[in-house]
């Protein structure tokens, strides 16, 4: 893992997570633990409305935390109820936190290679619907990262488990002086909570 990214993760403080939030995260802990115990693949699909901000941050941090804690056979995905584009500030935020990010295309919906290590396969980031062919069709947990998608998507085909873990949208601060700070803050929150989740998995 890249040294700056590992240092960032090492400094995360899970004692900042309130008890009521830990209870919400425990549902995801239990899902992953059951899969690991059964020696089954863990597939996590993080779903939001536009697949542009929170769902990408969650997908990326989940994959990294699985690697950090050496939890095998974890693959994280993301999708939306509609496809737009990964918001560029998400990439800028992750780069500042230690990732290496390369744009593989410059189309309206760019594709990014997001690397956390020289020797691990990059996470491929682009906006897509949750049922896109890039994502699994069965045997996965659908983690709803925004309340709008959670309310608007009563049924996720193929999901074994549906887990609402919602986050406030940093989009509210786009084009304001607080934009960089608020995106970093949301990324830290998601990283901290997924650190907590994977730290609880008994291999």
């Amino acid at each position: 893992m890249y040294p700056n990214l590992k240092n960032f993760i090492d400094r995360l403080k899970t004692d900042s997570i309130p008890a009521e939030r830990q209870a919400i995260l425990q549902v995801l802990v239990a899902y992953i633990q059951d899969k690991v115990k059964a020696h089954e693949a863990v597939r996590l699909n993080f779903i939001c409305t536009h697949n542009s901000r929170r769902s990408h941050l969650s997908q990326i941090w989940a994959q990294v935390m699985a690697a950090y804690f050496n939890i095998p056979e974890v693959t994280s995905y993301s999708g939306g109820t509609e496809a737009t584009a990964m918001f560029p500030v998400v990439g800028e935020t992750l780069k500042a936190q230690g990732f290496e990010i390369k744009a593989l295309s410059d189309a309206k919906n760019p594709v990014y290679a997001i690397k956390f290590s020289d020797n691990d396969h990059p996470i491929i980031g682009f906006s897509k619907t949750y049922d896109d062919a890039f994502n699994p069709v069965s045997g996965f947990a659908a983690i709803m990262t925004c309340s709008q998608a959670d309310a608007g998507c009563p049924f996720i085909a193929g999901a074994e488990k549906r887990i609402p873990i919602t986050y406030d949208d940093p989009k509210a601060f786009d084009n304001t002086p607080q934009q960089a700070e608020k995106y970093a803050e949301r990324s830290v929150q998601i990283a901290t909570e997924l650190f907590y989740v994977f730290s609880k998995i008994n291999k």
Side-chain angles (χ1 to χ4, degrees), residues 38-52:
H39 303 286
E40 294 176 1
V42 181
R43 300 183 189 93
L44 308 174
N45 193 358
F46 294 89
I47 298 169
C48 203
T49 305
H50 298 119
N51 190 210
S52 56

Side-chain angles (χ1 to χ4, degrees), residues 47-106:
I47 298 169
C48 203
T49 305
H50 298 119
N51 190 210
S52 56
R53 294 168 176 80
R54 291 165 285 179
S55 48
H56 275 113
L57 288 169
S58 300
Q59 173 195 3
I60 292 158
W61 280 118
Q63 197 66 59
V64 169
M65 294 309 173
Y68 183 86
F69 287 103
N70 198 27
I71 310 298
E73 293 192 76
V74 176
T75 311
S76 293
Y77 305 85
S78 67
T81 54
E82 59 186 275
T84 54
M86 189 177 101
F87 192 59
V89 178
V90 170
E92 293 165 17
T93 300
L94 292 169
K95 198 169 183 180
Q97 292 170 341
F99 290 84
E100 287 193 6
I101 299 182
K102 180 180 180 182
L104 302 179
S105 77
D106 58 359

